[in-house]
């Protein structure tokens, strides 16, 4: 009985922390976007994160109303990891030939595009960043970020 109560308390704490993580990531991105002193590149990346988080929450309410906040949280954390890993790789590849840089960027774009979460038919919205040559974060908003991170881990693990 004690184990059951302990397990229930841990599940409640995990759910609360999960919602906190999503909200924390969203608030951090929102704060950066609205900061007039923030670097323009950092703002652009944060704007993508904010848009991706907002899109995710809206679509989950529409398409998956019975899903848990833990699911939303895991997707939010995976999206943040995906984008941060991308930025890390961009920095690492600055010394590589242009062909290698483009190949690396396409790997991230493909991982995002090839792993949809909602199969949203509104491609204009979903691919607004993906199709924008001006965007630094050319990813689909409709991404199962956990699968996309796993795909990248596999691809970069092969090297």
């Amino acid at each position: 009985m004690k184990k059951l109560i302990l397990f229930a308390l841990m599940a409640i704490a995990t759910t609360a922390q999960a919602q906190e993580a999503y909200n924390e990531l969203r608030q951090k991105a929102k704060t950066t976007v609205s900061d007039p002193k923030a670097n323009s590149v950092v703002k652009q990346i944060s704007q993508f994160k904010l848009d991706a988080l907002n899109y995710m929450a809206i679509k989950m309410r529409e398409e998956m109303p019975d899903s848990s906040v833990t699911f939303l949280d895991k997707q939010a954390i995976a999206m943040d990891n995906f984008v941060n890993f991308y930025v890390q790789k961009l920095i690492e590849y600055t010394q590589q030939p242009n062909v290698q840089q483009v190949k690396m960027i396409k790997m991230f774009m493909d991982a995002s595009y090839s792993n949809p979460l909602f199969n949203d038919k509104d491609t204009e919205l979903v691919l607004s960043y993906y199709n924008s040559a001006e965007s630094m974060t050319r990813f689909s908003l409709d991404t199962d970020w956990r699968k996309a991170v796993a795909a990248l881990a596999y691809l970069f693990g092969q090297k």
Side-chain angles (χ1 to χ4, degrees), residues 10-103:
M10 287 175 49
I12 291 167
T14 302
T15 302
Q17 290 172 341
Q19 190 63 47
E20 286 177 25
Y22 169 84
N23 288 335
E24 185 178 320
L25 288 170
R26 189 176 176 282
Q27 186 57 47
K28 183 178 175 185
K30 193 174 180 180
T31 300
T32 302
V33 167
S34 62
D35 182 358
K37 296 177 184 173
N39 176 290
S40 63
V41 172
V42 174
K43 269 188 173 183
Q44 186 180 21
I45 293 166
S46 293
Q47 184 64 59
F48 173 81
K49 287 181 178 184
L50 182 60
D51 290 345
L53 290 166
N54 288 336
Y55 171 83
M56 209 184 314
I58 290 167
K59 290 304 283 186
M60 284 185 72
R61 266 184 253 130
E62 291 173 3
E63 305 286 328
M64 307 165 85
D66 296 332
S67 65
S68 68
V69 293
T70 304
F71 183 80
L72 177 63
D73 180 63
K74 288 178 180 179
Q75 285 293 321
I77 291 169
M79 181 276 302
D80 191 55
N81 289 337
F82 182 95
V83 174
N84 292 341
F85 186 54
Y86 173 69
V87 171
Q88 175 190 338
K89 288 297 177 187
L90 279 177
I91 293 166
E92 285 177 18
Y93 275 65
T94 56
Q95 301 302 318
Q96 297 292 324
N98 196 35
V99 173
Q100 289 299 105
Q101 292 177 28
V102 170
K103 182 179 176 185

